[in-house]
Amino acid sequence: APSPSGPLHAGSLVAAMASWLDARAHRGRWLLRIEDLDEPRNVPGAAEDILATLERFGFIADGPVVWQSRRHGAYRDAFDRLKSAGHVYGCACTRREIALALARAGVRTDRHAEPVYPGTCREGLPPGRSPRAWRARVDARPVRWIDHHDGIERIESLPQSCGDFVLLRADGIWAYQLAVVVDDGAAGVTDVVRGADLASSTARQVRLQEWLDLPGPRYLHVPVVVGGDGEKLSKQNGARALDGRAPIDELARAAAHLGLGVIEAASIGRFWEIATERWMLRLAGGR
C-alpha cells in the first residue's frame, strides 16, 4: 500500500516483496492500494510512477488498484457508525497543547514516537473551544494479536501505548488507522504484510476491527531498511529511487534483506520463482 509522496525506494521494495511472496506462498491474491488521502504530501505523477515501477519489477496486482482518495464515503460511514456507538469524541487540542500537557505531567516523549494523548478533551471540550480533530475513545481492555514474523503474541493496553487516537484529522483528512481498517475489511484482506515500523499501529487497528465487526487479518512485520544514519529509509530523508534499469539487482538486494540469501537469476520471472521457493521453505520451517 504505497503512498504517492515520491518514487519507490529500497524500503518500499522490501515491503512489496514480502507481501507478494507471502501471497504467492499461500496461493492467495496480492492486492494493491494507493494511499493518497494526504493530499498535501502527494507528489504529482508519483502514483503513476509507482505503478509503472511495480510492473517493471514483476508485481502485477490480482485485482483492480484501489485509490483511497475515491473512498471518502466508506470512511464517513464507518466514522458515523463509531460515533453513534460512543467510540468517538471531538478534540480541540493542538499539538503544542498536547506537548505542554505532557510536559507539565512530567511525561517524557520519544521524538520518533507518537505522544500518548493525555485525555484533555475526553470528558468534554474546554469552554469556548470547538473540535479540531476527532478521536477514538479507547478502553483498558487489552488488545491481543500475533506477529507471524516471530509467532509471539503481543498484548497491548491502548491507554498506555497511545491513548485516544485520531480518526479524523484537524485538516479534514481521514486518519491512516481508520482508512486502512475500512479498506482491508472491504477487500476481504486475510493477511497484512508490512514493515516493522507499522507494528505500533496494529493494536489500534485490531480494536477498530472489533468495533466495526470486521474480521481481523493475520499480521506479519518485516525488518525495515535503514539508511547510513540508522534511521528508517524513507522518501522524507532522501531515500534513493529504485533503479529501473537494473531491476534484478534491486530485487536481489531486497531478497537478501529479507533473509532469503543470494539470488542469481537471468530474468525477473526466474527471480520470483526462486524467491517464492525460499519463502515457502521459511514458512515450512516456522519463520
Side-chain angles (χ1 to χ4, degrees), residues 100-260:
L100 288 173
L102 292 173
R104 284 195 296 268
V107 178
R108 298 183 64 180
T109 58
D110 188 317
R111 69 185 182 90
H112 295 294
E114 182 180 346
V116 176
Y117 181 64
T120 307
C121 298
R122 200 171 210 268
E123 304 305 324
L125 295 170
R129 301 290 295 275
S130 300
R132 300 180 71 254
W134 293 83
R135 294 182 177 273
R137 186 190 303 273
V138 302
D139 56 55
R141 290 180 301 121
V143 178
R144 299 172 180 268
W145 61 278
I146 295 174
D147 193 332
H148 288 273
H149 176 68
D150 54 21
I152 297 175
E153 182 183 50
R154 271 64 171 174
I155 304 174
E156 186 173 329
S157 169
L158 289 175
Q160 295 178 4
S161 64
C162 65
D164 298 333
F165 57 94
V166 171
L167 297 177
L168 181 59
R169 293 170 18 181
D171 56 7
I173 294 175
W174 297 108
Y176 166 79
Q177 310 296 352
L178 177 65
V180 298
V181 164
V182 172
D183 290 341
D184 288 349
V189 168
T190 59
D191 292 78
V192 173
V193 181
R194 58 190 182 187
D197 56 312
L198 290 171
S200 60
S201 291
T202 305
R204 282 173 276 185
Q205 293 166 16
V206 170
R207 183 53 32 92
L208 288 175
Q209 290 155 6
E210 294 172 357
W211 286 343
L212 292 169
D213 298 317
L214 294 172
R218 292 180 291 268
Y219 288 93
L220 168 61
H221 297 91
V222 298
V224 298
V225 179
V226 298
D229 57 359
E231 300 285 345
K232 172 201 165 189
L233 205 62
S234 70
K235 298 159 190 171
Q236 285 70 42
N237 64 13
R240 175 185 63 82
L242 294 174
D243 186 354
R245 299 167 299 178
I248 295 179
D249 291 342
E250 296 277 22
L251 289 167
R253 282 190 284 271
H257 179 82
L258 289 170
L260 300 180

